[in-house]
Amino acid sequence: MDGDDSLQIDQTEKAADRLPAESWQDQDVNNCISLAKSSPISILKKNGLLQSLAAGVSTKEPEDLNQDLKRAQEEWDAVESIQPGSTPQNRADVFIGQLPSISFNEALQHFQTADLSAHMKNIQVTASRTGLFAITRLLFGPPRLHRDLQEERNLVFAIAQCSFDNNERVHTRVLQTVYKKLTGSRFDCSRYGSHWEEVGFQGVDPATDLRGTGFLGLMQVLYLIMNPQTLPLAHSIYKLSQHQSQNFPFCAMSINITRITIQTLREECLNKECNRRKQVVGVVNDLYVAAFLHLYHIWKTQNKTISDSGLVLKEVEDVCKKNSKLILKRLESYLNKEHSVLDATLEDMSSLHPSSAVTGQSLKLDLPSGVKEANFTGVCELAIEMEGETRLI
């Protein structure tokens, strides 16, 4: 028996002698441990190997394990628990992966500093006229736009030439701001999806609805919802667009209003007002809001539905082109809460078109079968639609 113990002791000591102090974490350590397990405890105690093994395991920690633990702890500490519909403290607007909302002035400044030379080459600033009509327009038409305002006017037309760019951060911020302001959501939504139909776009990609108005179609709705004076009106129009029977696509209707605004500017119907106020962007935006207000009043008070959209839009277009001053006055009265003046203004508008929807008569429009989409007049097309029916997208 003593001979067997001596043999095991010798084997264990030889294995321990072969192990340098710094190699306890290597494969030799495992071999030594296996050998130690097969030896009696009394032998390990006698030769001090048990104490050495215990000390080695307790004092030496693998560095790679430490790194993994530290990394896991850091990642865990960085985790933020965000509940749907709630706002983390001190994170009112910006979340992880979220884009901050953008104001109209900030978005406009982006276009003022951007290189739009390629778009400037394609803009048409005035309607093309020839013959007697051109001479009559020159002699008795609206005044020319002041020279120092022409660059600002050209900028408006250039923005209307810009398409949506997924790689442009400002474009994405504008789109997300429109969605969040209208729906009340505090979170961004995905770039594509059926959720865009909730705010009145007509498909999974809002960019496809911007034909004919370019990015100006988003800029003007941004102005409507980010201006504290017009935000209540935006909410009222959006609420009406969600009505059970009078519903309509809000953003699609807004784009139609922008198209009317572009045509009104091109036909120089706003020159006098722009010269008086010494600005173009402000006048164009006010006309957009005034036209949307006019449509909202007709739609709500006369119980219009989507089938009436063509006639209502045509009526709005006629008023903008023929009496932009009056419709801007109506907007001013509305914003100032001068309801008596507003009612008088509406009476004046009714006298302009006694047979139209403004008179208070309930008109029904039977759109031709197969007509479902609007035919936008492109911002650079030479022909100007003076007659015919304007249809919703």
Side-chain angles (χ1 to χ4, degrees):
M1 186 67 176
D2 293 339
D4 294 338
D5 291 344
S6 299
L7 179 60
Q8 289 184 341
I9 291 172
D10 293 340
Q11 292 176 346
T12 303
E13 288 178 345
K14 289 178 181 179
D17 292 340
R18 290 198 304 269
L19 294 173
E22 63 273 8
S23 64
W24 283 91
Q25 309 305 321
D26 298 336
Q27 186 175 0
D28 291 337
V29 176
N30 296 329
N31 295 335
C32 182
I33 292 175
S34 300
L35 182 61
K37 285 182 179 179
S38 63
S39 303
I41 296 297
S42 59
I43 296 177
L44 297 177
K45 285 183 177 180
K46 182 178 179 180
N47 292 274
L49 293 178
L50 185 63
Q51 292 81 355
S52 299
L53 288 172
V57 171
S58 61
T59 57
K60 185 69 174 181
E61 294 184 1
E63 294 183 1
D64 56 345
L65 180 60
N66 287 341
Q67 293 297 328
D68 290 340
L69 290 175
K70 290 180 181 179
R71 190 180 302 109
Q73 184 64 39
E74 291 174 356
E75 292 177 356
W76 177 258
D77 293 338
V79 171
E80 292 191 35
S81 177
I82 302 178
Q83 299 296 328
S86 64
T87 305
Q89 292 182 353
N90 302 324
R91 301 290 296 276
D93 292 321
V94 183
F95 301 93
I96 298 176
Q98 295 292 110
L99 293 174
S101 296
I102 188 171
S103 67
F104 175 83
N105 287 337
E106 184 181 353
L108 179 63
Q109 188 176 34
H110 162 76
F111 286 101
Q112 289 173 331
T113 57
D115 181 13
L116 301 179
S117 57
H119 300 297
M120 288 290 186
K121 297 177 181 178
N122 299 322
I123 65 174
Q124 181 193 354
V125 296
T126 59
S128 178
R129 301 179 181 87
T130 58
L132 182 61
F133 184 75
I135 297 176
T136 304
R137 185 78 175 181
L138 180 63
L139 296 176
F140 306 103
R144 290 183 177 276
L145 187 69
H146 291 170
R147 184 180 298 274
D148 55 349
L149 297 176
Q150 292 179 5
E151 182 177 352
E152 186 178 352
R153 175 201 59 191
N154 295 348
L155 175 64
V156 172
F157 286 121
I159 297 175
Q161 283 283 317
C162 294
S163 58
F164 189 93
D165 186 356
N166 285 322
N167 297 320
E168 180 54 65
R169 179 181 172 88
V170 170
H171 289 202
T172 305
R173 287 178 63 193
V174 170
L175 185 61
Q176 294 289 350
T177 300
V178 169
Y179 177 82
K180 289 185 287 189
K181 272 290 186 178
L182 288 176
T183 62
S185 172
R186 296 179 179 179
F187 301 92
D188 287 347
C189 58
S190 59
R191 173 65 179 81
Y192 304 95
S194 58
H195 49 272
W196 292 111
E197 297 177 9
E198 181 182 352
V199 294
F201 290 104
Q202 298 192 111
V204 298
D205 182 7
T208 60
D209 286 350
L210 298 178
R211 57 190 182 278
T213 65
F215 204 82
L216 188 64
L218 283 180
M219 288 289 288
Q220 292 206 304
V221 71
L222 179 70
Y223 174 81
L224 178 68
I225 63 177
M226 295 302 287
N227 186 340
Q229 280 191 303
T230 59
L231 180 59
L233 174 61
H235 286 160
S236 297
I237 300 175
Y238 183 68
K239 182 179 179 181
L240 180 61
S241 74
Q242 305 294 309
H243 192 273
Q244 184 176 0
S245 60
Q246 291 187 270
N247 61 85
F248 57 86
F250 177 88
C251 285
M253 189 71 79
S254 171
I255 291 170
N256 275 272
I257 300 296
T258 297
R259 177 189 59 80
I260 293 172
T261 303
I262 293 172
Q263 291 181 352
T264 304
L265 178 64
R266 183 185 285 115
E267 293 188 23
E268 304 177 282
C269 301
L270 297 177
N271 284 3
K272 186 175 182 180
E273 185 67 16
C274 290
N275 290 340
R276 185 183 71 84
R277 292 170 53 173
K278 298 181 180 180
Q279 59 175 311
V280 177
V281 173
V283 174
V284 169
N285 283 337
D286 284 350
L287 180 68
Y288 160 82
V289 177
F292 220 159
L293 172 62
H294 188 59
L295 180 142
Y296 167 74
H297 175 79
I298 296 174
W299 204 276
K300 183 176 182 179
T301 59
Q302 300 178 31
N303 297 318
K304 297 300 183 182
T305 65
I306 193 65
S307 63
D308 303 313
S309 58
L311 182 62
V312 175
L313 283 169
K314 179 60 179 173
E315 172 61 29
V316 172
E317 183 174 357
D318 289 343
V319 173
C320 287
K321 292 180 179 180
K322 296 179 180 179
N323 208 328
S324 58
K325 181 179 180 180
L326 185 58
I327 199 172
L328 288 170
K329 180 181 177 182
R330 179 196 174 193
L331 173 64
E332 183 180 359
S333 301
Y334 178 88
L335 296 179
N336 292 333
K337 304 299 181 182
E338 298 176 4
H339 297 291
S340 58
V341 178
L342 174 59
D343 294 337
T345 305
L346 290 177
E347 290 297 329
D348 293 339
M349 285 186 170
S350 299
S351 64
L352 288 175
H353 303 280
S355 61
S356 67
V358 190
T359 61
Q361 299 175 359
S362 180
L363 298 178
K364 296 295 181 180
L365 175 64
D366 295 326
L367 293 178
S369 60
V371 176
K372 295 182 179 179
E373 291 192 351
N375 294 325
F376 283 111
T377 301
V379 293
C380 295
E381 293 178 5
L382 297 179
I384 301 298
E385 291 184 350
M386 300 299 294
E387 296 180 355
E389 188 177 273
T390 304
R391 295 181 294 276
L392 184 64
I393 296 176

